[in-house]
Amino acid sequence: MRRIVGIVLAVLLVGGVVAAVVAGREADDKGTATKTVQGVIGSEKAEFFEDPDVVKALAAKGYTVKAETSGSWAMEGLDLDGYDFAFPSSQAPATELAAKHGVRGTLPRPFYSPLVVVAHKNAAEVLARNGLATLDAEHRGTLRMAAYVDAARADRTWQQLKGAGKYGELTGTLYLSSTDPETSNSGALYLAAASYVANGGKVVAGAADVARTAPLLHKLVSVQGAQQSSTDAAFRDFVSGAGNPLVLVYESQVAALLEAGQRPDDLVVLYPDTTVDSDHTVVPLTENGQVLAGLLATDPRLRELEVRHGFRPQGRTTEFASATTYLKQELTGVRQAPVPTSAVLHELARRARG
């Protein structure tokens, strides 16, 4: 009898311990549970959302983000049923998505990044010698867009530029590599800036303006041949030493590279004196998407991490990139060109692709 009682008590004790452990785990799970938020984002933000510190910061607020990448303009053709948000790289494709999915109200724009041209040092120095750029630091300068547009109109080659002859890699037509303007935000914004310059400092707004600027835009795109669908791939190719010596990317990509401790000696960042900022704009498709957008815009820790990844949070007044000679702290001397309507920009992209 005593043996039976002992066995029963042991079973009860073990059962109690197991129950306590299970209860503790359930309590822990409940305390750290997060809501999964599904979204589609521009590829340039993939590393941000994959950053363990970003994941941790979002989890602390009760959210886990599952993000897929897409070209910003290509998002319009995606089936977003079941998604909580879309996060293209500028306001124009976001406005199109909002209209398509019945999203009303002001769309959140948590952070932005200007477009820049990354250049190999030899190429930057040749551009400066020929009046196409100015250099104000070892790794930083300004691209003179009007002069560049004139050179593109004239089909100028590197061989026609003074000082280029001693650099064997500088051959063929002078051009900027950009992404596909029909699917990628940066490629479309490049056309917006170039068309503004080509149109005499006026935004392209109608059929006559499109007809006037389309031939130049076609030159800018057709000379490139096959184009990448994302700036992420184009930037990685440039850093590895492949491809064209002048590539249009986001400032945030350079900033993230520098933040990771890399300081490429052969890299010069040229800020176009006429450009378009990429306003990363959230299209909230559900309440969870709306909450996420709010956190990205206002949470101090997330804003700090946005800067780490090279983005400029809206309204931020502290210094940006203060420890580098590659990037501008303030965007002085950079003129913001108005962006054409989505319909006009689509037509410019179509004409440019030919």
Side-chain angles (χ1 to χ4, degrees), residues 9 13 24-25 54 64 104 113 134 137 141 156 196 207 239 246 257 292 308 326:
L9 289 174
L13 179 60
R25 286 179 178 172
V54 173
T64 296
R104 301 183 181 277
S113 182
T134 58
R156 291 183 74 179
Y196 180 81
V239 172
L246 303 172
L257 182 76
L292 173 66
R308 178 197 290 181
Y326 292 82

Coordinates of all heavy atoms in Angstrom, one line a residue, residues 9 13 24-25 54 64 104 113 134 137 141 156 196 207 239 246 257 292 308 326:
L9 N 2.0 9.6 -5.6 CA 2.5 10.9 -5.2 C 3.6 11.3 -6.2 O 3.6 12.5 -6.6 CB 3.1 10.9 -3.8 CG 2.0 10.8 -2.7 CD1 2.7 10.6 -1.3 CD2 1.1 12.0 -2.7
L13 N 3.4 14.6 -8.5 CA 4.5 15.6 -8.5 C 5.1 15.9 -9.8 O 5.2 17.1 -10.2 CB 5.6 15.1 -7.6 CG 6.8 16.0 -7.4 CD1 6.4 17.3 -6.8 CD2 7.9 15.3 -6.5
G24 N 4.2 28.1 -17.5 CA 5.2 29.2 -17.6 C 5.5 29.6 -19.0 O 5.6 30.7 -19.4
R25 N 5.6 28.5 -19.9 CA 5.9 28.8 -21.3 C 4.7 29.5 -22.0 O 5.0 30.4 -22.8 CB 6.1 27.4 -22.0 CG 7.5 26.8 -21.7 CD 7.6 25.5 -22.4 NE 8.9 24.9 -22.2 CZ 9.3 23.7 -22.5 NH1 8.4 22.9 -23.2 NH2 10.5 23.2 -22.3
V54 N 16.2 45.8 -35.9 CA 14.9 46.3 -36.3 C 13.8 45.3 -35.9 O 12.8 45.6 -35.4 CB 14.9 46.6 -37.8 CG1 13.5 46.9 -38.3 CG2 15.8 47.7 -38.2
T64 N 5.7 41.5 -35.9 CA 6.7 40.9 -36.7 C 6.4 41.2 -38.1 O 5.2 41.0 -38.6 CB 6.7 39.3 -36.5 OG1 7.0 39.0 -35.1 CG2 7.6 38.6 -37.4
R104 N -7.8 55.7 -48.3 CA -8.1 57.2 -48.3 C -7.2 57.8 -47.3 O -6.6 57.2 -46.4 CB -9.5 57.4 -48.0 CG -10.5 56.8 -49.0 CD -12.0 57.2 -48.7 NE -12.9 56.6 -49.7 CZ -13.1 57.1 -50.9 NH1 -12.5 58.2 -51.3 NH2 -14.0 56.5 -51.7
S113 N 15.1 59.4 -49.1 CA 16.5 59.3 -49.6 C 16.6 60.0 -50.9 O 15.9 59.6 -51.9 CB 16.9 57.8 -49.6 OG 18.3 57.7 -50.0
T134 N 31.4 69.1 -60.2 CA 32.3 69.8 -59.3 C 32.6 68.8 -58.1 O 31.7 68.1 -57.7 CB 31.8 71.1 -58.8 OG1 30.5 70.9 -58.1 CG2 31.5 72.1 -59.9
A137 N 35.0 67.4 -52.0 CA 35.7 66.6 -51.0 C 36.3 65.4 -51.8 O 36.0 65.3 -52.9 CB 34.7 66.1 -49.9
G141 N 30.8 65.1 -54.5 CA 30.7 66.3 -55.4 C 29.3 66.5 -55.9 O 28.4 65.9 -55.3
R156 N 27.9 62.5 -76.6 CA 29.3 62.6 -76.3 C 29.8 61.3 -75.8 O 29.1 60.6 -75.1 CB 29.6 63.8 -75.3 CG 29.3 65.1 -75.9 CD 29.6 66.2 -74.9 NE 31.1 66.4 -74.7 CZ 31.6 67.3 -73.9 NH1 30.9 68.1 -73.1 NH2 32.9 67.4 -73.8
Y196 N 12.6 67.4 -66.4 CA 12.5 68.7 -65.8 C 13.5 69.6 -66.4 O 13.3 70.7 -66.8 CB 12.5 68.6 -64.3 CG 12.4 69.9 -63.6 CD1 11.1 70.5 -63.4 CD2 13.5 70.6 -63.1 CE1 11.0 71.7 -62.7 CE2 13.4 71.8 -62.5 CZ 12.1 72.4 -62.3 OH 12.0 73.6 -61.6
A207 N 0.9 66.6 -73.3 CA 1.3 65.9 -74.5 C 2.5 66.7 -75.2 O 3.4 66.0 -75.7 CB 0.2 65.8 -75.5
V239 N 29.8 48.3 -56.7 CA 30.8 48.1 -55.6 C 31.8 47.0 -55.9 O 32.9 47.0 -55.6 CB 30.0 47.8 -54.3 CG1 31.0 47.4 -53.2 CG2 29.2 49.1 -53.8
L246 N 29.4 55.1 -63.9 CA 28.4 56.0 -63.3 C 27.1 55.3 -63.1 O 26.5 54.9 -64.1 CB 28.2 57.2 -64.2 CG 29.5 58.0 -64.6 CD1 29.1 59.1 -65.7 CD2 30.1 58.7 -63.4
L257 N 26.4 51.2 -46.6 CA 27.7 50.6 -46.9 C 28.7 51.2 -45.9 O 29.5 50.5 -45.3 CB 28.1 50.9 -48.3 CG 29.4 50.3 -48.8 CD1 29.3 48.8 -49.0 CD2 29.9 51.0 -50.1
L292 N 1.9 50.0 -38.1 CA 3.3 49.8 -38.5 C 3.9 51.1 -39.1 O 5.0 51.6 -38.7 CB 3.5 48.7 -39.5 CG 4.9 48.5 -40.1 CD1 5.9 48.1 -39.0 CD2 4.9 47.5 -41.2
R308 N 20.7 54.5 -39.4 CA 21.8 53.5 -39.5 C 21.8 52.9 -40.9 O 22.9 52.6 -41.5 CB 21.7 52.4 -38.5 CG 22.7 51.3 -38.6 CD 22.4 50.0 -37.9 NE 22.4 50.1 -36.5 CZ 22.1 49.1 -35.6 NH1 21.8 47.9 -36.1 NH2 22.2 49.3 -34.3
Y326 N 32.0 61.3 -47.7 CA 31.2 60.8 -48.9 C 29.9 61.5 -49.0 O 29.4 61.6 -50.2 CB 31.0 59.3 -48.7 CG 32.3 58.4 -48.8 CD1 33.1 58.3 -47.7 CD2 32.6 57.8 -50.0 CE1 34.2 57.5 -47.7 CE2 33.8 57.0 -50.1 CZ 34.6 56.8 -48.9 OH 35.7 56.1 -49.0

